[in-house]
Amino acid sequence: MALKGQKTTSDFLEWEKMQTIVLKLERDNDLKFALLIATGSYIGLRISDLLQLRWNQVLNQDYFTITEKKTQKTRKVTINPELQSILSRLFVQLKASESDLMFANRSGDKAFSIQYVNSKLKDIFAKYKVRGQYSSHFMRKTLGRRVWEVNKYSDQALLLLSQLFNHSNVSTTKIYLGIREQEISNLYLSV
């Protein structure tokens, strides 16, 4: 984990690549990380909030409400039907109880640590030969890039993402998603 105030970066994954990794993890019986990556990429919570989720908050629900740890703001999160399908399937495969933490450690009494998640993600991306720099933050960025793409790269999508991520302005969201960097790179390629 980075030191407080230290700048860290994480890449996003293309949506189809994220879905492929989830399926590979499920195939390889790494069910909790299939669940983590799918849930994180579909709902875009910070890892500190994601790790505290319990099955009864999300299973067979259309939405849930959470008070974000970092901002103390209350947020209503709608659960995508595709994610609901993944949740239902993995709930059964994990033989979980509805009151369980979704991302419990081996003893089942505490959530994974962020350090453990980041270490395990490094191993997963190495195993599946995914290049880039990834930390637990990639899931939030993956959602952001997907929303921007599905909405035809519109300014309206960036405005809504800025609100979703609690950014002070759209410029921050563009930097966060690596959009400005991509636009500049595309300028060089267009010459």
Side-chain angles (χ1 to χ4, degrees), residues 149-165:
E149 174 188 315
V150 167
N151 288 282
K152 298 180 176 41
Y153 309 102
S154 72
D155 289 338
Q156 177 68 19
L158 288 174
L159 181 61
L160 293 172
L161 285 167
S162 179
Q163 292 173 346
L164 177 76
F165 292 144

Side-chain angles (χ1 to χ4, degrees), residues 11 16 20 22 32-33 38 50 54 59 61 65 70 84-85 103-104 108 110 112 121 124 128 149 152 155 183 186:
D11 294 333
E16 292 74 24
T20 300
V22 168
K32 284 196 180 178
F33 271 83
L50 186 62
R54 293 189 179 273
L59 198 61
Q61 303 293 326
T65 305
K70 182 176 179 179
Q84 196 55 257
S85 174
F103 309 107
K110 286 199 272 191
F112 292 154
L121 287 173
I124 288 168
Y128 297 121
E149 174 188 315
K152 298 180 176 41
D155 289 338
E183 289 172 341
N186 287 345

Side-chain angles (χ1 to χ4, degrees), residues 41-73:
S41 297
Y42 274 96
I43 64 177
L45 289 175
R46 288 180 186 87
I47 192 69
S48 58
D49 297 320
L50 186 62
L51 293 176
Q52 298 308 312
L53 291 177
R54 293 189 179 273
W55 283 103
N56 56 11
Q57 289 177 272
V58 298
L59 198 61
N60 302 317
Q61 303 293 326
D62 293 328
Y63 67 91
F64 65 95
T65 305
I66 188 169
T67 301
E68 294 180 325
K69 210 174 197 180
K70 182 176 179 179
T71 63
Q72 295 303 304
K73 292 183 181 178

Side-chain angles (χ1 to χ4, degrees), residues 22 26 31-32 34-43 50 53-64 77-98 102-103:
V22 168
E26 193 173 348
L31 302 178
K32 284 196 180 178
L35 177 66
L36 180 77
I37 291 171
T39 306
S41 297
Y42 274 96
I43 64 177
L50 186 62
L53 291 177
R54 293 189 179 273
W55 283 103
N56 56 11
Q57 289 177 272
V58 298
L59 198 61
N60 302 317
Q61 303 293 326
D62 293 328
Y63 67 91
F64 65 95
V77 179
T78 302
I79 302 173
N80 180 294
E82 286 179 39
L83 176 59
Q84 196 55 257
S85 174
I86 294 168
L87 292 171
S88 297
R89 186 174 68 239
L90 292 174
F91 177 76
V92 170
Q93 289 180 49
L94 285 163
K95 298 179 177 89
S97 170
E98 287 193 21
M102 292 173 65
F103 309 107

Side-chain angles (χ1 to χ4, degrees), residues 122-153:
K122 246 184 210 180
D123 295 343
I124 288 168
F125 289 119
K127 176 180 179 178
Y128 297 121
K129 296 175 176 51
V130 179
R131 290 190 182 149
Q133 188 171 337
Y134 297 98
S135 69
S136 57
H137 221 60
F138 92 89
M139 297 172 277
R140 221 166 128 81
K141 289 185 175 191
T142 296
L143 172 69
R145 289 297 289 234
R146 177 64 175 172
V147 168
W148 189 53
E149 174 188 315
V150 167
N151 288 282
K152 298 180 176 41
Y153 309 102

